[in-house]
């Protein structure tokens, strides 16, 4: 018996950690996604008539290894120190939540307890200033915390938002013969539907969805227990 199914697996917290410039959490989320990939690959080995596609919808944060603000003697501009992140046991998102709930006077103790870092006076001033001028204190706090901790490892970030760089496209098992080179993101799905003979079906589904009326998006203040009103 042939079983047909479609499964979507999203490593959404990879993106959220990058928005927060939280390098160590970013790494851990990537490795958790890789563990899931290994499970999927094992399934493909046992069920070779399977298509697997792995791709991001965008990059986030603009991470760089070997952050340096001066062009010193080689290899200084290329050095980075990931071991400096190993003392972190909570994400900057969770630390920021705790600090906002308990007051900014708990900043030093929270970072020391959950990141293993004793903030310098300059780092403390930067964090408190960035948080004080933001219209979203918790969101800014987790990002500036991430930037400070990343700086301890010489890991840099260019933006708390999305970036326009190309993303990698991976496939495993069966795959369309056209899956190579640089392509528009919409072509990934279209080429897969062509391969499976589902293009007409997908067009019909798209047309039916375009006529649907969706409930209005409620403002965040009406949803006190919802941390994210949408994808960032």
């Amino acid at each position: 018996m042939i079983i047909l199914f479609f499964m979507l697996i999203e490593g959404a917290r990879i993106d959220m950690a990058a928005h927060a410039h939280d390098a160590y959490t970013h790494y851990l989320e990537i490795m958790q996604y890789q563990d899931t990939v290994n499970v999927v690959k094992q399934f493909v080995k046992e069920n070779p008539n399977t298509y697997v596609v792995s791709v991001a919808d965008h990059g986030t944060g603009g991470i760089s290894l070997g952050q340096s603000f001066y062009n010193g003697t080689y290899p200084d501009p290329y050095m980075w120190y990931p071991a400096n992140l190993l003392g972190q046991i909570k994400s900057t998102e969770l630390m920021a939540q705790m600090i906002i709930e308990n007051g900014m006077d708990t900043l030093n103790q929270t970072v020391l307890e959950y990141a293993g870092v004793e903030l310098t006076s300059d780092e403390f001033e930067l964090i408190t200033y960035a948080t004080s001028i933001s219209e979203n204190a918790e969101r800014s706090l987790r990002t500036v915390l991430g930037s400070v901790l990343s700086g301890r490892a010489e890991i840099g970030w260019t933006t708390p938002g999305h970036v326009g760089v190309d993303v990698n496209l991976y496939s495993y098992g069966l795959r369309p013969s056209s899956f190579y080179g640089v392509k528009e993101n919409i072509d990934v799905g279209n080429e897969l539907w062509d391969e499976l003979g589902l293009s007409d079906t997908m067009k019909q589904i798209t047309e039916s969805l375009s006529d649907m009326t969706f409930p209005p998006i409620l403002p965040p203040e009406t949803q006190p227990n919802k941390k994210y009103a949408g994808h960032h």
Side-chain angles (χ1 to χ4, degrees), residues 20-21 92 95-96 99 107 111 119 127 140-150:
H21 295 180
T92 63
M95 282 189 275
I99 294 167
L107 171 59
V111 174
L119 296 174
I127 293 169
S140 291
L141 178 55
R142 63 175 179 251
T143 302
V144 71
L145 271 176
S147 296
V148 166
L149 297 179
S150 294

Side-chain angles (χ1 to χ4, degrees), residues 185-206:
N185 57 1
I186 194 172
D187 289 334
V188 175
N190 289 338
E191 291 173 12
L192 187 60
W193 306 139
D194 288 342
E195 174 83 4
L196 299 173
L198 293 173
S199 292
D200 291 340
T201 301
M202 296 306 296
K203 288 178 182 178
Q204 293 172 5
I205 293 173
T206 300

Side-chain angles (χ1 to χ4, degrees), residues 203-214:
K203 288 178 182 178
Q204 293 172 5
I205 293 173
T206 300
E207 290 173 0
S208 66
L209 290 174
S210 66
D211 294 331
M212 293 182 64
T213 301
F214 293 92

